Amino acid sequence: MDEQTRITDAKSPPAPAPSTSDLKYTFNHDALQKFRDSKPWMEDPKYFEKVAVSPTAIMKMMMHCHSGVEKGMKKGGNPIEVMGLILGRPDPNNPKTLILTDVFPLPIEGFETRVIADDQDVINHMISLGESLEKCRHEKFMGWYHSHPFDVGAHPQCFLSTTDLTTQLQWQRSEDPHGNPFVAVVVDPLRSLVKNSPVLQAFRVYPPGYSSPVPNECPDGTIVSDEKSRLERWGACWNRYYVLEMEFFMSNLARRVMGTLTQNFLWMRVVGSTPMLESENRVRFPDRVFGGVDKVRKVAMELGSGGIHAHVG
């Protein structure tokens, strides 16, 4: 080893230890298969508690759901519901967690809580996509997502309709017994645009015959005695499914890149910020406009009294 090599090696920093987020990008195949074979979720209707979503999955989901909004509005109608499949796996290191690594949009469009994948072309597309991914990916399709692009109201539009519940129950009956627990994700694209951040929730459905031992327990675990309030927030099937906590993970490398971009290119923060979409600002905007008009009129009157003609309509 020459002197230059020794100097270079001495200056090289040690490789950083992998973070918890980094570990989500890798897994032990034998441990995963052993966990799939054990199928503990078959014994507990509320076994899973959390989903961890990768940057790739969340970005592709949001872009797809927002495209449905734009497509519907451009046609002069209502925003269109869209649907896709989720790629991922259970996490043997955190058995109560499902990891969502990627998503794939499907050629399905619908309106008002009715997005159904029963078209033969769509089914053939799903089969072809699954066969292709088996050759290059170790994860499986273990969930589905769709959008609820309804009006922005007091509550997020993240819930399971009767059709959604039936679809999710069919998936769970088909996949859960084979070591592939299935999850449903509902995205509220309009509220996401207003809040300038993703608004979505993940759900699992109770098996037939199961009912929560807690009276009036909503999917998120809260107790709501008023039936109208339950229906408005969670739909007619409010007692047939439950919410999974959602978290987002990012590798150390991706986090450093994003930090550098945000620090060096401050315009990214400006472009990514749309304060006028916030409901509070939208409500106060007319008052601000009228206040500005009053000030302009006062100035015009002062100018007019000085012999200068001014008119504000």
Side-chain angles (χ1 to χ4, degrees):
M1 181 182 297
D2 56 25
E3 185 66 22
Q4 182 63 36
T5 302
R6 286 196 295 271
I7 294 174
T8 302
D9 290 344
K11 292 182 179 180
S12 299
S19 67
T20 305
S21 295
D22 287 333
L23 294 176
K24 288 185 170 63
Y25 289 93
T26 62
F27 59 92
N28 182 290
H29 293 270
D30 294 336
L32 176 58
Q33 189 57 51
K34 183 178 179 180
F35 185 55
R36 289 187 186 277
D37 293 339
S38 65
K39 297 176 283 192
W41 51 86
M42 297 298 295
E43 305 299 327
D44 183 357
K46 298 182 70 172
Y47 179 80
F48 292 104
E49 300 174 353
K50 181 186 295 186
V51 295
V53 188
S54 74
T56 299
I58 186 62
M59 289 178 64
K60 290 173 68 174
M61 262 193 292
M62 299 310 299
M63 290 175 65
H64 186 207
C65 294
H66 287 162
S67 71
V69 174
E70 294 177 356
K71 185 175 182 180
M73 299 301 287
K74 285 181 179 178
K75 291 183 177 181
N78 295 322
I80 296 174
E81 290 186 46
V82 298
M83 175 183 169
L85 293 176
I86 299 172
L87 199 70
R89 65 183 186 275
D91 186 1
N93 298 320
N94 299 281
K96 302 283 187 176
T97 300
L98 295 170
I99 299 178
L100 316 185
T101 58
D102 205 347
V103 302
F104 295 86
L106 291 175
I108 301 174
E109 296 177 352
F111 297 94
E112 295 295 332
T113 68
R114 294 191 61 83
V115 178
I116 310 174
D118 58 359
D119 183 86
Q120 190 59 45
D121 292 337
V122 174
I123 295 175
N124 292 337
H125 176 84
M126 293 167 62
I127 294 174
S128 176
L129 180 60
E131 292 175 347
S132 299
L133 290 172
E134 285 179 359
K135 300 175 182 179
C136 59
R137 302 289 289 267
H138 296 293
E139 298 99 340
K140 297 181 179 181
F141 284 130
M142 46 78 67
W144 66 296
Y145 72 90
H146 73 288
S147 61
H148 279 180
F150 311 144
D151 292 336
V152 178
H155 306 289
Q157 301 291 348
C158 297
F159 63 92
L160 294 184
S161 67
T162 303
T163 301
D164 300 337
L165 188 88
T166 301
T167 301
Q168 175 62 15
L169 183 58
Q170 290 175 348
W171 279 117
Q172 288 184 200
R173 282 176 163 177
S174 174
E175 297 294 326
D176 281 22
H178 300 287
N180 191 36
F182 229 74
V183 66
V185 173
V186 179
V187 181
D188 185 342
L190 294 182
R191 200 177 192 87
S192 299
L193 290 170
V194 170
K195 293 297 183 182
N196 199 32
S197 63
V199 178
L200 66 164
Q201 285 186 297
F203 306 102
R204 290 263 297 169
V205 172
Y206 296 136
Y210 176 85
S211 59
S212 172
V214 182
N216 299 326
E217 183 182 26
C218 293
D220 62 348
T222 59
I223 309 300
V224 180
S225 57
D226 181 56
E227 183 177 3
K228 182 180 179 181
S229 299
R230 294 196 301 265
L231 294 174
E232 288 178 351
R233 175 62 185 92
W234 301 107
C237 306
W238 61 270
N239 61 342
R240 301 303 312 143
Y241 64 96
Y242 73 98
V243 174
L244 283 74
E245 179 187 349
M246 182 170 288
E247 68 176 16
F248 305 103
F249 66 91
M250 182 181 297
S251 68
N252 277 336
L253 177 59
R255 196 178 301 278
R256 288 199 297 269
V257 170
M258 290 298 295
T260 301
L261 289 174
T262 304
Q263 181 178 0
N264 294 344
F265 302 97
L266 297 180
W267 57 266
M268 291 180 63
R269 297 179 181 176
V270 178
V271 174
S273 176
T274 52
M276 275 310 303
L277 289 176
E278 291 288 343
S279 58
E280 295 83 1
N281 287 331
R282 292 205 315 273
V283 170
R284 295 182 58 190
F285 184 68
D287 295 335
R288 294 177 179 175
V289 172
F290 287 124
V293 171
D294 290 338
K295 292 180 180 179
V296 172
R297 283 176 174 163
K298 290 179 180 178
V299 172
M301 292 176 63
E302 292 175 359
L303 292 175
S305 62
I308 301 177
H309 176 72
H311 175 72
V312 179

